[in-house]
């Protein structure tokens, strides 16, 4: 998702497209895919809940989840600035 950023034209980057790619992938019994789809569904619900209180995008939710995952395994606390645009 974030690796698509093009510094030359300031386009692409973390826009939430990975969530929609994971959710639209056909489930072929792959347990890893099933786990990813479950996590993606949790992020979509979190976005819906957060949107009731603040302007947040699915891309913001992915960034927050990534920062929390790093912290949960003993990594540093990473500040996350909100305001990422949704996938077009």
């Amino acid at each position: 998702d974030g690796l698509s950023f093009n510094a030359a034209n300031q386009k692409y980057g973390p826009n939430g497209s990975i969530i929609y790619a994971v959710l639209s992938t056909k489930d072929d019994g792959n347990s890893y895919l099933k786990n990813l789809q479950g996590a993606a569904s949790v992020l979509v619900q979190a976005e819906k809940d957060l949107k009731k209180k603040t302007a947040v995008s699915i891309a913001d939710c992915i960034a927050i989840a990534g920062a929390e995952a790093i912290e949960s395994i003993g990594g540093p606390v990473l500040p996350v600035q909100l305001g990422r645009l949704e996938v077009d």
Side-chain angles (χ1 to χ4, degrees):
D1 198 57
L3 295 176
S4 65
F5 180 70
N6 184 332
N9 62 14
Q10 299 291 305
K11 289 188 177 182
Y12 309 109
N15 61 7
S17 60
I18 190 70
I19 293 294
Y20 302 109
V22 167
L23 290 175
S24 66
T25 300
K26 191 171 186 171
D27 183 2
D28 61 356
N30 182 325
S31 63
Y32 296 112
L33 177 60
K34 189 171 189 130
N35 289 340
L36 278 174
Q37 289 175 331
S41 295
V42 168
L43 284 174
V44 168
Q45 186 59 50
E47 176 204 19
K48 288 177 183 175
D49 294 343
L50 285 169
K51 274 194 172 180
K52 295 174 186 173
K53 299 179 183 201
T54 186
V56 65
S57 68
I58 194 67
D60 290 330
C61 290
I62 293 169
I64 293 166
E68 290 297 315
I70 290 169
E71 184 181 350
S72 75
I73 60 169
V77 175
L78 301 173
V80 177
Q81 184 177 7
L82 302 180
R84 289 164 185 78
L85 300 176
E86 294 283 348
V87 65
D88 292 333

